[in-house]
Amino acid sequence: MKIYYIGILKNEQKPAHELCVEKDLSSYSRFTRDNYGEFMTLFSKTVAERTRPGQRQDIEEKSPPLSAAYTFHAYARTEGIAGIIISDHDYPALVAHQLLSKVVDEFLSSNPRSSFTSPSNPTPTISFPPLKEYIVKYQDPAQADSIMKIQKELDETKIVLHKTIESVLERGEKIDTLVQKSDGLSAQSKMFYTQVSLWLVHIPNPFI
């Protein structure tokens, strides 16, 4: 079980913006680590933009370049932010959502809405040190027991499940188009995406 990404994103307008984020990319080669990090940011923004205030959803994804089976756990708030966790498929969804509740609540208690909605700085970066601790501590889902004891029980039926990122995109929108239009991806990452896509065409289901 693995958590790769925990982030708080401003999602009132497109494109969504990362206010604070922590990533654990230690399981990737140092040659591809930056590429995977950029794609996690792109897809997290995409999911945040399509998560309504008050909504919880999980999106399972196996398409390139994130071809090793990931789940995007999303929780949006009426304050104009969304919490996103990217984990592997084995990480328990309820635990991920309990952690999202904790992270979002703590972020908002220390960062009022005015701190990230100023017209003079529409894309701020906000320091939120607990994320660095949580992405280490909660690699073990058992550590979330204390969260679950002090918070209200989360109803699993309220989490909307999607099987792919494309299922939350607008009609006719494709991941390929999303990647090519993205300003947040380097030319190297776009080339990486193309190479992985071609590789998977010739080697279907390499991770099964």
Side-chain angles (χ1 to χ4, degrees), residues 32 38 42 60 74 93 121 125 132 135 156 160 165 168 174 192:
T32 59
E38 287 185 10
L42 172 64
E60 298 177 347
N121 185 15
T125 298
K132 189 177 293 290
I135 200 167
E156 191 170 13
V160 180
I165 292 255
V168 301
K174 299 293 184 182
F192 176 69

Side-chain angles (χ1 to χ4, degrees), residues 111-200:
N111 298 280
R113 178 177 162 79
S114 59
S115 67
F116 53 84
T117 57
S118 172
S120 62
N121 185 15
T123 56
T125 298
I126 297 178
S127 175
F128 188 54
L131 285 189
K132 189 177 293 290
E133 173 194 349
Y134 294 160
I135 200 167
V136 175
K137 179 177 181 180
Y138 294 108
Q139 294 295 339
D140 177 7
Q143 294 295 323
D145 286 348
S146 59
I147 305 177
M148 301 180 79
K149 289 176 182 176
I150 63 175
Q151 292 185 348
K152 294 180 180 178
E153 184 175 352
L154 185 64
D155 187 350
E156 191 170 13
T157 63
K158 293 179 181 178
I159 303 173
V160 180
L161 178 63
H162 299 277
K163 289 298 183 182
T164 65
I165 292 255
E166 285 194 347
S167 67
V168 301
L169 298 180
E170 296 175 4
R171 186 183 298 275
E173 198 175 10
K174 299 293 184 182
I175 287 181
D176 288 355
T177 305
L178 195 70
V179 168
Q180 295 308 319
K181 288 184 176 180
S182 173
D183 294 330
L185 292 176
S186 64
Q188 181 185 11
S189 287
K190 291 181 180 180
M191 179 64 71
F192 176 69
Y193 173 85
T194 301
Q195 291 172 340
V196 172
S197 298
L198 290 173
W199 179 61
L200 290 177

Side-chain angles (χ1 to χ4, degrees), residues 30-164:
R30 63 186 180 90
F31 300 108
T32 59
R33 200 169 290 167
D34 290 344
N35 302 128
Y36 279 107
E38 287 185 10
F39 277 102
M40 287 183 183
T41 290
L42 172 64
F43 291 149
S44 291
K45 289 180 178 180
T46 301
V47 170
E49 290 167 359
R50 292 156 178 81
T51 305
R52 300 186 307 273
Q55 183 184 27
R56 293 181 183 271
Q57 56 181 350
D58 285 349
I59 298 95
E60 298 177 347
E61 188 54 63
K62 290 185 179 180
S63 66
L66 304 182
S67 46
Y70 298 77
T71 301
F72 291 74
H73 310 276
Y75 171 43
R77 291 281 293 261
T78 56
E79 291 87 347
I81 64 170
I84 304 287
I85 287 177
I86 304 176
S87 71
D88 61 17
H89 281 352
D90 293 329
Y91 200 89
L94 286 178
V95 174
H97 279 275
Q98 292 287 357
L99 179 53
L100 279 175
S101 294
K102 175 181 176 65
V103 167
V104 172
D105 286 346
E106 291 183 2
F107 176 84
L108 288 171
S109 67
S110 58
N111 298 280
R113 178 177 162 79
S114 59
S115 67
F116 53 84
T117 57
S118 172
S120 62
N121 185 15
T123 56
T125 298
I126 297 178
S127 175
F128 188 54
L131 285 189
K132 189 177 293 290
E133 173 194 349
Y134 294 160
I135 200 167
V136 175
K137 179 177 181 180
Y138 294 108
Q139 294 295 339
D140 177 7
Q143 294 295 323
D145 286 348
S146 59
I147 305 177
M148 301 180 79
K149 289 176 182 176
I150 63 175
Q151 292 185 348
K152 294 180 180 178
E153 184 175 352
L154 185 64
D155 187 350
E156 191 170 13
T157 63
K158 293 179 181 178
I159 303 173
V160 180
L161 178 63
H162 299 277
K163 289 298 183 182
T164 65

